Coordinates of all heavy atoms in Angstrom, one line a residue:
M1 N -0.3 -1.2 -16.2 CA -0.1 0.3 -16.0 C -0.7 0.6 -14.6 O -1.7 0.1 -14.1 CB -0.9 1.0 -17.0 CG -1.0 2.5 -16.7 SD -2.1 3.4 -17.8 CE -0.9 3.9 -19.0
N2 N 0.1 1.4 -13.8 CA -0.3 1.8 -12.5 C -1.2 3.1 -12.6 O -0.9 4.0 -13.4 CB 0.9 2.2 -11.6 CG 1.7 0.9 -11.4 OD1 1.2 -0.2 -11.3 ND2 3.0 1.1 -11.2
K3 N -2.2 3.2 -11.8 CA -3.0 4.4 -11.6 C -2.6 4.9 -10.3 O -2.4 4.2 -9.3 CB -4.5 4.0 -11.6 CG -5.0 3.4 -12.8 CD -5.1 4.4 -14.0 CE -5.7 3.8 -15.2 NZ -5.8 4.6 -16.3
I4 N -2.4 6.2 -10.2 CA -1.9 6.9 -9.0 C -2.9 7.9 -8.5 O -3.4 8.7 -9.2 CB -0.6 7.6 -9.2 CG1 0.4 6.5 -9.7 CG2 -0.1 8.3 -8.0 CD1 1.8 7.1 -10.2
A5 N -3.3 7.8 -7.2 CA -4.2 8.7 -6.5 C -3.5 9.9 -6.1 O -2.3 10.0 -5.9 CB -4.8 8.0 -5.3
K6 N -4.3 11.0 -5.8 CA -3.7 12.2 -5.3 C -3.1 12.0 -3.9 O -2.2 12.8 -3.5 CB -4.8 13.3 -5.2 CG -5.3 13.8 -6.5 CD -6.4 14.8 -6.3 CE -7.0 15.2 -7.7 NZ -8.1 16.1 -7.6
T7 N -3.4 11.0 -3.2 CA -2.9 10.7 -1.9 C -1.6 9.8 -2.0 O -1.2 9.3 -1.0 CB -3.9 10.1 -1.0 OG1 -4.5 8.9 -1.6 CG2 -5.0 11.1 -0.6
H8 N -1.2 9.5 -3.2 CA 0.1 8.8 -3.5 C 0.0 7.3 -3.3 O 1.0 6.7 -3.2 CB 1.3 9.4 -2.8 CG 1.5 10.8 -3.2 ND1 2.0 11.2 -4.4 CD2 1.2 12.0 -2.6 CE1 2.1 12.5 -4.5 NE2 1.6 13.0 -3.4
E9 N -1.2 6.7 -3.3 CA -1.3 5.3 -3.4 C -1.4 4.9 -4.9 O -1.9 5.7 -5.7 CB -2.6 4.7 -2.7 CG -2.6 4.8 -1.3 CD -3.1 6.2 -0.7 OE1 -3.6 7.0 -1.5 OE2 -2.9 6.4 0.5
W10 N -0.8 3.8 -5.3 CA -0.9 3.3 -6.7 C -1.8 2.1 -6.7 O -1.9 1.4 -5.7 CB 0.5 3.1 -7.3 CG 1.3 2.1 -6.6 CD1 2.3 2.3 -5.7 CD2 1.3 0.6 -6.8 NE1 2.9 1.1 -5.3 CE2 2.3 0.1 -5.9 CE3 0.5 -0.2 -7.5 CZ2 2.5 -1.3 -5.8 CZ3 0.7 -1.6 -7.4 CH2 1.7 -2.1 -6.6
A11 N -2.4 1.8 -7.8 CA -3.2 0.6 -8.0 C -2.9 0.0 -9.4 O -2.8 0.8 -10.4 CB -4.7 1.0 -7.9
R12 N -2.8 -1.3 -9.4 CA -2.5 -2.0 -10.7 C -3.5 -3.1 -10.8 O -3.6 -4.0 -9.9 CB -1.1 -2.5 -10.8 CG -0.7 -3.2 -12.1 CD 0.7 -3.6 -12.2 NE 1.2 -4.3 -11.0 CZ 2.2 -3.8 -10.2 NH1 2.8 -2.7 -10.4 NH2 2.6 -4.5 -9.1
F13 N -4.3 -3.2 -11.9 CA -5.3 -4.2 -12.1 C -4.7 -5.3 -13.0 O -4.3 -5.0 -14.1 CB -6.5 -3.6 -12.7 CG -7.7 -4.6 -12.9 CD1 -8.4 -5.0 -11.9 CD2 -7.9 -5.1 -14.2 CE1 -9.5 -5.9 -12.0 CE2 -9.0 -6.0 -14.4 CZ -9.7 -6.4 -13.3
E14 N -4.7 -6.5 -12.5 CA -4.2 -7.7 -13.2 C -5.0 -8.9 -12.9 O -5.1 -9.3 -11.7 CB -2.7 -8.0 -12.9 CG -1.8 -6.9 -13.2 CD -0.4 -7.2 -12.7 OE1 -0.2 -7.3 -11.5 OE2 0.5 -7.4 -13.5
D15 N -5.6 -9.5 -13.9 CA -6.3 -10.8 -13.7 C -7.4 -10.7 -12.6 O -7.5 -11.6 -11.8 CB -5.3 -11.9 -13.4 CG -4.3 -12.1 -14.5 OD1 -4.6 -12.0 -15.7 OD2 -3.1 -12.4 -14.2
G16 N -8.1 -9.7 -12.6 CA -9.2 -9.5 -11.7 C -8.9 -9.1 -10.3 O -9.7 -9.1 -9.4
V17 N -7.6 -8.8 -10.1 CA -7.1 -8.4 -8.7 C -6.4 -7.1 -8.8 O -5.6 -6.8 -9.8 CB -6.1 -9.5 -8.2 CG1 -5.6 -9.0 -6.8 CG2 -6.8 -10.8 -8.0
V18 N -6.6 -6.2 -7.8 CA -6.0 -4.9 -7.8 C -4.9 -4.9 -6.7 O -5.2 -5.1 -5.6 CB -7.0 -3.8 -7.5 CG1 -6.3 -2.4 -7.4 CG2 -8.1 -3.7 -8.5
S19 N -3.7 -4.7 -7.2 CA -2.5 -4.6 -6.2 C -2.4 -3.1 -5.8 O -2.6 -2.2 -6.7 CB -1.2 -5.1 -6.9 OG -1.3 -6.4 -7.2
V20 N -2.2 -2.9 -4.6 CA -2.1 -1.5 -4.0 C -0.8 -1.3 -3.3 O -0.4 -2.1 -2.5 CB -3.3 -1.2 -3.1 CG1 -3.3 0.2 -2.6 CG2 -4.6 -1.5 -3.8
G21 N -0.2 -0.1 -3.4 CA 1.0 0.3 -2.7 C 1.1 1.8 -2.6 O 0.1 2.5 -2.9
I22 N 2.2 2.3 -2.2 CA 2.4 3.7 -2.2 C 3.6 4.1 -3.2 O 4.4 3.2 -3.5 CB 2.7 4.3 -0.8 CG1 4.0 3.7 -0.2 CG2 1.5 4.1 0.1 CD1 4.4 4.4 1.1
T23 N 3.5 5.3 -3.7 CA 4.5 5.7 -4.8 C 5.9 5.9 -4.2 O 6.0 6.2 -3.0 CB 4.0 7.0 -5.4 OG1 4.0 8.0 -4.5 CG2 2.6 6.9 -6.1
P24 N 6.9 5.8 -5.0 CA 8.2 6.2 -4.5 C 8.3 7.6 -4.0 O 9.0 7.9 -3.0 CB 9.1 6.0 -5.8 CG 8.4 5.0 -6.6 CD 6.9 5.3 -6.4
Y25 N 7.5 8.5 -4.5 CA 7.5 9.9 -4.0 C 7.0 9.9 -2.6 O 7.6 10.6 -1.7 CB 6.6 10.8 -4.9 CG 6.4 12.2 -4.3 CD1 7.3 13.1 -4.6 CD2 5.3 12.5 -3.5 CE1 7.2 14.4 -4.0 CE2 5.2 13.7 -2.9 CZ 6.1 14.7 -3.2 OH 6.0 16.0 -2.7
A26 N 5.9 9.1 -2.3 CA 5.4 9.0 -0.9 C 6.4 8.4 0.0 O 6.6 8.9 1.2 CB 4.1 8.3 -0.9
V27 N 7.1 7.4 -0.4 CA 8.1 6.7 0.4 C 9.2 7.7 0.7 O 9.6 7.8 1.9 CB 8.7 5.5 -0.3 CG1 9.9 4.9 0.4 CG2 7.7 4.4 -0.6
E28 N 9.7 8.5 -0.3 CA 10.7 9.5 -0.1 C 10.3 10.6 0.9 O 11.0 11.0 1.8 CB 11.1 10.1 -1.4 CG 12.2 11.1 -1.3 CD 13.6 10.5 -1.0 OE1 13.8 9.3 -1.3 OE2 14.4 11.2 -0.4
A29 N 9.0 11.0 0.7 CA 8.5 12.1 1.6 C 8.3 11.7 3.0 O 8.5 12.4 4.0 CB 7.1 12.6 1.0
L30 N 8.0 10.4 3.2 CA 7.8 9.9 4.6 C 9.1 9.8 5.3 O 9.2 9.9 6.5 CB 7.1 8.5 4.6 CG 5.6 8.5 4.3 CD1 5.1 7.1 4.0 CD2 4.9 9.1 5.5
G31 N 10.2 9.4 4.6 CA 11.5 9.2 5.3 C 11.5 7.7 5.8 O 11.0 6.8 5.2
D32 N 12.1 7.5 6.9 CA 12.3 6.2 7.5 C 11.0 5.7 8.1 O 10.5 6.2 9.0 CB 13.3 6.2 8.6 CG 14.7 6.4 8.1 OD1 15.0 6.0 6.9 OD2 15.6 7.0 8.8
V33 N 10.4 4.7 7.4 CA 9.2 4.1 7.8 C 9.4 3.2 9.1 O 10.4 2.4 9.1 CB 8.5 3.2 6.7 CG1 7.3 2.5 7.2 CG2 8.2 4.1 5.5
V34 N 8.6 3.3 10.1 CA 8.8 2.6 11.3 C 7.6 1.6 11.6 O 7.8 0.7 12.5 CB 9.0 3.5 12.6 CG1 10.3 4.3 12.4 CG2 7.8 4.5 12.8
F35 N 6.5 1.8 10.9 CA 5.3 1.0 11.2 C 4.4 1.0 10.0 O 4.1 2.1 9.5 CB 4.6 1.5 12.5 CG 3.4 0.7 12.8 CD1 3.4 -0.5 13.4 CD2 2.1 1.3 12.6 CE1 2.3 -1.2 13.7 CE2 1.0 0.6 13.0 CZ 1.0 -0.6 13.5
V36 N 3.8 -0.1 9.7 CA 2.8 -0.2 8.7 C 1.7 -1.1 9.3 O 1.9 -2.2 9.7 CB 3.3 -0.8 7.3 CG1 2.1 -1.0 6.4 CG2 4.4 0.1 6.7
E37 N 0.4 -0.6 9.3 CA -0.7 -1.3 9.7 C -1.6 -1.7 8.5 O -2.0 -0.7 7.8 CB -1.5 -0.6 10.7 CG -2.8 -1.3 11.2 CD -3.6 -0.5 12.2 OE1 -4.4 0.4 11.7 OE2 -3.4 -0.6 13.4
L38 N -1.7 -2.9 8.2 CA -2.5 -3.4 7.1 C -3.7 -4.2 7.5 O -3.6 -4.9 8.6 CB -1.6 -4.2 6.1 CG -0.4 -3.4 5.5 CD1 0.5 -4.3 4.7 CD2 -0.9 -2.2 4.7
P39 N -4.7 -4.3 6.7 CA -5.9 -5.1 7.1 C -5.6 -6.6 7.0 O -4.6 -7.0 6.3 CB -7.0 -4.7 6.1 CG -6.2 -4.3 4.9 CD -4.9 -3.7 5.4
E40 N -6.4 -7.4 7.6 CA -6.3 -8.9 7.4 C -7.0 -9.3 6.1 O -7.9 -8.6 5.6 CB -7.0 -9.6 8.6 CG -6.3 -9.3 9.9 CD -7.0 -10.1 11.1 OE1 -7.8 -10.9 10.8 OE2 -6.6 -9.7 12.2
V41 N -6.6 -10.5 5.6 CA -7.2 -11.1 4.5 C -8.7 -11.3 4.8 O -9.0 -11.7 6.0 CB -6.5 -12.4 4.1 CG1 -7.4 -13.1 3.0 CG2 -5.1 -12.1 3.5
G42 N -9.6 -11.0 3.9 CA -11.0 -11.1 4.2 C -11.7 -9.8 4.6 O -12.9 -9.7 4.6
T43 N -10.9 -8.8 4.9 CA -11.4 -7.5 5.2 C -12.1 -6.8 4.0 O -11.5 -6.9 2.9 CB -10.3 -6.5 5.8 OG1 -9.8 -7.1 6.9 CG2 -10.9 -5.1 6.1
V44 N -13.2 -6.2 4.1 CA -13.9 -5.5 3.0 C -13.4 -4.1 3.1 O -13.5 -3.5 4.2 CB -15.4 -5.7 3.1 CG1 -16.1 -4.8 2.0 CG2 -15.8 -7.1 2.9
V45 N -12.9 -3.5 2.0 CA -12.5 -2.1 1.9 C -13.4 -1.3 1.0 O -14.1 -1.9 0.1 CB -11.0 -2.0 1.5 CG1 -10.1 -2.6 2.5 CG2 -10.8 -2.6 0.1
T46 N -13.5 0.0 1.2 CA -14.3 0.9 0.5 C -13.5 1.9 -0.2 O -12.6 2.5 0.5 CB -15.4 1.5 1.4 OG1 -16.1 0.5 2.0 CG2 -16.3 2.4 0.6
A47 N -13.7 2.2 -1.5 CA -13.0 3.2 -2.2 C -13.0 4.5 -1.5 O -14.1 5.0 -1.0 CB -13.5 3.4 -3.6
G48 N -11.9 5.2 -1.3 CA -11.8 6.5 -0.7 C -11.7 6.4 0.8 O -11.6 7.5 1.5
E49 N -11.8 5.2 1.4 CA -11.7 5.1 2.9 C -10.4 4.5 3.2 O -9.7 3.8 2.4 CB -12.8 4.1 3.4 CG -14.2 4.6 3.1 CD -14.6 5.8 3.9 OE1 -14.2 5.8 5.1 OE2 -15.3 6.7 3.4
A50 N -9.9 4.7 4.5 CA -8.7 4.2 4.9 C -8.7 2.7 5.1 O -9.7 2.1 5.6 CB -8.3 4.8 6.3
F51 N -7.7 2.0 4.6 CA -7.5 0.6 4.8 C -6.4 0.2 5.8 O -6.2 -0.9 6.2 CB -7.4 -0.2 3.5 CG -6.1 0.0 2.8 CD1 -4.9 -0.6 3.1 CD2 -6.0 0.9 1.7 CE1 -3.7 -0.4 2.5 CE2 -4.8 1.1 1.0 CZ -3.7 0.5 1.4
G52 N -5.6 1.2 6.1 CA -4.4 1.0 7.0 C -3.8 2.3 7.3 O -4.3 3.4 7.0
E53 N -2.6 2.2 7.8 CA -1.8 3.4 8.2 C -0.3 3.1 8.0 O 0.1 1.9 8.2 CB -2.1 3.7 9.7 CG -1.5 5.0 10.2 CD -1.9 5.3 11.6 OE1 -3.1 5.7 11.8 OE2 -1.1 5.2 12.5
I54 N 0.4 4.1 7.7 CA 1.9 4.0 7.6 C 2.5 5.1 8.5 O 2.0 6.3 8.4 CB 2.3 4.1 6.1 CG1 3.8 3.8 6.1 CG2 2.0 5.4 5.5 CD1 4.3 3.5 4.7
E55 N 3.5 4.8 9.3 CA 4.1 5.8 10.1 C 5.6 5.8 9.8 O 6.2 4.8 9.6 CB 3.9 5.4 11.6 CG 2.4 5.5 12.0 CD 2.3 5.1 13.5 OE1 3.2 5.2 14.3 OE2 1.1 4.9 13.9
S56 N 6.1 7.0 9.9 CA 7.6 7.2 9.8 C 8.1 8.1 10.9 O 7.3 8.5 11.7 CB 7.9 7.9 8.4 OG 7.5 9.2 8.4
V57 N 9.3 8.4 10.9 CA 9.9 9.3 11.9 C 9.3 10.7 11.7 O 9.4 11.5 12.6 CB 11.4 9.3 11.9 CG1 11.9 7.9 12.4 CG2 12.0 9.7 10.6
K58 N 8.8 11.0 10.5 CA 8.3 12.3 10.2 C 6.8 12.5 10.4 O 6.4 13.5 10.8 CB 8.6 12.7 8.7 CG 10.1 12.9 8.4 CD 10.2 13.2 6.9 CE 11.6 13.4 6.5 NZ 11.7 13.8 5.1
A59 N 6.0 11.4 10.1 CA 4.6 11.6 10.0 C 3.9 10.3 10.1 O 4.5 9.2 9.8 CB 4.2 12.4 8.8
A60 N 2.6 10.3 10.3 CA 1.7 9.2 10.2 C 0.6 9.5 9.1 O 0.1 10.6 9.1 CB 1.0 8.8 11.5
S61 N 0.3 8.6 8.2 CA -0.6 8.8 7.2 C -1.5 7.6 7.0 O -1.1 6.5 7.2 CB 0.1 9.0 5.8 OG 0.9 10.1 5.9
E62 N -2.8 7.9 6.7 CA -3.7 6.8 6.4 C -3.4 6.3 5.0 O -3.0 7.1 4.1 CB -5.2 7.3 6.5 CG -5.7 7.6 7.8 CD -7.1 8.0 7.9 OE1 -7.6 8.6 6.9 OE2 -7.8 7.7 8.9
L63 N -3.7 5.0 4.7 CA -3.6 4.5 3.4 C -5.0 4.3 2.9 O -5.9 3.8 3.6 CB -2.9 3.1 3.5 CG -1.5 3.1 4.0 CD1 -1.1 1.7 4.4 CD2 -0.6 3.7 3.0
I64 N -5.3 4.9 1.7 CA -6.6 5.0 1.2 C -6.9 3.9 0.1 O -6.1 3.8 -0.9 CB -6.9 6.4 0.6 CG1 -6.6 7.5 1.7 CG2 -8.3 6.5 0.1 CD1 -7.4 7.4 2.9
A65 N -8.0 3.2 0.2 CA -8.3 2.2 -0.8 C -8.7 2.8 -2.1 O -9.5 3.8 -2.1 CB -9.5 1.3 -0.3
P66 N -8.2 2.3 -3.2 CA -8.6 2.9 -4.6 C -9.9 2.3 -5.1 O -10.5 2.9 -6.0 CB -7.4 2.4 -5.4 CG -7.0 1.1 -4.8 CD -7.2 1.3 -3.4
C67 N -10.4 1.3 -4.5 CA -11.6 0.6 -5.0 C -12.3 -0.1 -3.9 O -11.7 -0.4 -2.8 CB -11.3 -0.3 -6.2 SG -10.2 -1.6 -5.8
D68 N -13.6 -0.5 -4.1 CA -14.3 -1.4 -3.2 C -13.9 -2.8 -3.4 O -13.5 -3.2 -4.6 CB -15.8 -1.3 -3.5 CG -16.4 0.0 -3.2 OD1 -15.8 0.8 -2.4 OD2 -17.5 0.3 -3.7
G69 N -13.9 -3.6 -2.4 CA -13.6 -5.1 -2.6 C -13.1 -5.7 -1.3 O -13.2 -5.1 -0.2
E70 N -12.7 -7.0 -1.5 CA -12.3 -7.7 -0.3 C -10.7 -7.9 -0.5 O -10.2 -8.2 -1.6 CB -12.9 -9.1 -0.3 CG -12.5 -10.0 0.8 CD -13.2 -11.3 0.8 OE1 -14.3 -11.5 0.2 OE2 -12.6 -12.3 1.4
V71 N -10.0 -7.8 0.6 CA -8.6 -8.0 0.7 C -8.4 -9.5 0.5 O -8.8 -10.3 1.3 CB -8.0 -7.5 2.0 CG1 -6.5 -7.8 2.0 CG2 -8.2 -6.0 2.1
V72 N -7.6 -9.9 -0.5 CA -7.3 -11.3 -0.8 C -5.9 -11.7 -0.5 O -5.5 -12.8 -0.4 CB -7.7 -11.7 -2.2 CG1 -9.2 -11.6 -2.4 CG2 -7.0 -10.9 -3.3
A73 N -5.0 -10.6 -0.3 CA -3.6 -10.9 0.1 C -3.1 -9.7 0.7 O -3.4 -8.5 0.4 CB -2.8 -11.2 -1.2
V74 N -2.1 -9.9 1.7 CA -1.4 -8.9 2.4 C 0.1 -9.2 2.3 O 0.5 -10.3 2.5 CB -1.9 -8.8 3.9 CG1 -1.1 -7.8 4.6 CG2 -3.4 -8.5 4.0
N75 N 0.9 -8.2 2.0 CA 2.3 -8.4 1.8 C 3.0 -8.5 3.2 O 3.4 -7.5 3.8 CB 2.9 -7.3 1.0 CG 4.4 -7.6 0.6 OD1 5.0 -8.5 1.1 ND2 4.9 -6.8 -0.3
S76 N 3.1 -9.7 3.7 CA 3.7 -10.0 5.0 C 5.2 -9.7 5.0 O 5.8 -9.5 6.1 CB 3.5 -11.4 5.5 OG 4.0 -12.3 4.5
E77 N 5.8 -9.6 3.9 CA 7.3 -9.2 3.8 C 7.5 -7.8 4.4 O 8.6 -7.6 4.9 CB 7.7 -9.3 2.4 CG 7.7 -10.6 1.7 CD 8.6 -11.6 2.3 OE1 9.8 -11.3 2.6 OE2 8.2 -12.8 2.6
L78 N 6.5 -7.0 4.3 CA 6.7 -5.6 4.8 C 6.8 -5.5 6.3 O 7.4 -4.6 6.9 CB 5.5 -4.7 4.4 CG 5.4 -4.4 2.9 CD1 4.2 -3.5 2.6 CD2 6.7 -3.8 2.4
E79 N 6.3 -6.6 7.0 CA 6.3 -6.6 8.5 C 7.7 -6.4 9.1 O 7.9 -5.7 10.1 CB 5.7 -7.8 9.0 CG 4.2 -7.9 8.8 CD 3.6 -9.2 9.3 OE1 4.2 -9.9 10.1 OE2 2.5 -9.5 8.8
G80 N 8.7 -7.0 8.4 CA 10.0 -7.0 9.0 C 11.0 -6.2 8.1 O 12.2 -6.1 8.5
D81 N 10.6 -5.7 7.0 CA 11.6 -5.0 6.1 C 10.9 -3.9 5.3 O 10.5 -4.1 4.2 CB 12.1 -6.1 5.1 CG 13.3 -5.5 4.3 OD1 13.7 -4.4 4.5 OD2 13.8 -6.3 3.4
F82 N 10.9 -2.7 5.9 CA 10.3 -1.5 5.3 C 11.1 -1.0 4.2 O 10.7 -0.2 3.3 CB 10.0 -0.4 6.3 CG 9.1 -0.9 7.4 CD1 9.5 -0.7 8.8 CD2 7.9 -1.4 7.2 CE1 8.7 -1.1 9.8 CE2 7.0 -1.8 8.2 CZ 7.4 -1.7 9.5
D83 N 12.4 -1.5 4.1 CA 13.3 -1.0 3.0 C 12.8 -1.5 1.6 O 13.2 -1.0 0.6 CB 14.7 -1.5 3.2 CG 15.4 -0.8 4.4 OD1 14.9 0.4 4.7 OD2 16.3 -1.3 4.9
I84 N 11.9 -2.5 1.6 CA 11.3 -3.0 0.4 C 10.6 -1.9 -0.3 O 10.6 -1.7 -1.6 CB 10.3 -4.2 0.6 CG1 11.1 -5.4 1.1 CG2 9.6 -4.5 -0.6 CD1 10.2 -6.5 1.6
L85 N 10.0 -1.0 0.5 CA 9.2 0.1 -0.1 C 10.2 1.1 -0.9 O 9.8 1.6 -2.0 CB 8.5 0.9 1.0 CG 7.4 0.2 1.7 CD1 6.9 1.0 2.9 CD2 6.3 -0.1 0.8
K86 N 11.4 1.3 -0.3 CA 12.3 2.2 -1.0 C 12.9 1.5 -2.2 O 13.1 2.1 -3.3 CB 13.5 2.6 -0.1 CG 13.0 3.5 1.0 CD 14.2 3.9 1.9 CE 13.8 4.8 3.0 NZ 14.9 5.1 3.9
A87 N 13.2 0.2 -2.1 CA 13.9 -0.5 -3.2 C 13.0 -0.8 -4.4 O 13.4 -0.8 -5.5 CB 14.4 -1.8 -2.6
D88 N 11.7 -1.1 -4.1 CA 10.8 -1.5 -5.2 C 9.4 -1.2 -4.9 O 8.5 -2.1 -4.8 CB 11.0 -3.0 -5.4 CG 10.4 -3.5 -6.7 OD1 10.0 -2.7 -7.6 OD2 10.3 -4.8 -6.9
A89 N 9.0 0.1 -4.8 CA 7.7 0.5 -4.4 C 6.6 -0.1 -5.3 O 5.5 -0.4 -4.9 CB 7.6 2.0 -4.3
Y90 N 6.9 -0.1 -6.6 CA 5.9 -0.6 -7.6 C 5.9 -2.1 -7.8 O 5.1 -2.6 -8.6 CB 6.1 0.1 -9.0 CG 5.7 1.6 -9.0 CD1 6.6 2.5 -9.4 CD2 4.4 2.0 -8.6 CE1 6.2 3.9 -9.4 CE2 4.1 3.3 -8.6 CZ 5.0 4.3 -9.0 OH 4.6 5.6 -9.0
G91 N 6.8 -2.8 -7.2 CA 6.9 -4.2 -7.4 C 6.7 -5.0 -6.1 O 5.6 -5.2 -5.6
E92 N 7.8 -5.4 -5.5 CA 7.8 -6.1 -4.2 C 7.2 -5.3 -3.1 O 6.9 -5.9 -2.0 CB 9.2 -6.6 -3.9 CG 9.7 -7.7 -4.9 CD 8.8 -8.9 -4.9 OE1 8.4 -9.4 -3.9 OE2 8.5 -9.3 -6.1
G93 N 7.1 -4.0 -3.2 CA 6.6 -3.1 -2.2 C 5.0 -3.0 -2.2 O 4.5 -2.2 -1.5
W94 N 4.3 -3.9 -2.9 CA 2.9 -3.8 -2.8 C 2.4 -4.1 -1.4 O 3.1 -4.7 -0.6 CB 2.2 -4.8 -3.8 CG 2.5 -6.3 -3.5 CD1 3.6 -7.0 -3.9 CD2 1.7 -7.1 -2.7 NE1 3.5 -8.3 -3.4 CE2 2.4 -8.4 -2.7 CE3 0.5 -7.0 -2.0 CZ2 1.9 -9.5 -2.0 CZ3 0.0 -8.1 -1.3 CH2 0.7 -9.3 -1.3
M95 N 1.3 -3.6 -1.0 CA 0.8 -3.7 0.3 C -0.4 -4.7 0.5 O -0.3 -5.6 1.3 CB 0.4 -2.3 0.9 CG 1.5 -1.4 1.0 SD 1.0 0.2 1.7 CE 2.6 0.8 2.2
I96 N -1.4 -4.5 -0.3 CA -2.5 -5.4 -0.3 C -3.0 -5.7 -1.7 O -2.6 -4.9 -2.6 CB -3.7 -4.8 0.5 CG1 -4.3 -3.5 -0.1 CG2 -3.4 -4.6 2.0 CD1 -5.6 -3.0 0.5
R97 N -3.8 -6.7 -1.8 CA -4.4 -7.1 -3.1 C -5.9 -7.2 -2.8 O -6.3 -7.8 -1.9 CB -3.9 -8.3 -3.7 CG -2.4 -8.1 -4.1 CD -1.9 -9.2 -5.1 NE -0.6 -8.7 -5.6 CZ 0.5 -9.3 -5.6 NH1 0.6 -10.5 -5.0 NH2 1.6 -8.8 -6.1
I98 N -6.7 -6.5 -3.7 CA -8.2 -6.5 -3.5 C -8.9 -7.1 -4.7 O -8.5 -7.0 -5.9 CB -8.6 -5.0 -3.5 CG1 -7.9 -4.2 -2.3 CG2 -10.1 -4.9 -3.3 CD1 -8.1 -2.7 -2.4
Q99 N -9.9 -7.9 -4.4 CA -10.7 -8.5 -5.5 C -12.2 -8.1 -5.3 O -12.7 -7.9 -4.2 CB -10.6 -10.0 -5.4 CG -11.2 -10.7 -6.6 CD -10.9 -12.2 -6.6 OE1 -10.8 -12.8 -5.5 NE2 -10.7 -12.7 -7.7

């Protein structure tokens, strides 16, 4: 089950790891995404603090961590294909994984 923040990030806890992404609503509101800045593996994130940024032709927004922890994976597929966010925001469109 996904938990959704007021800032439209989603979080899913599975096997001790939290996958994080943005909701389809956020993807739609942003429009065409042109840049995503994500942290490196090993970065420590804090709940309620920015872990990255997403930019579109309409706006730039900070990405907010849903929990404290260490980034254990970053979705490198997003680097070259932002359409993944539109196609599968809750699946292949995950951004980071936190432990």
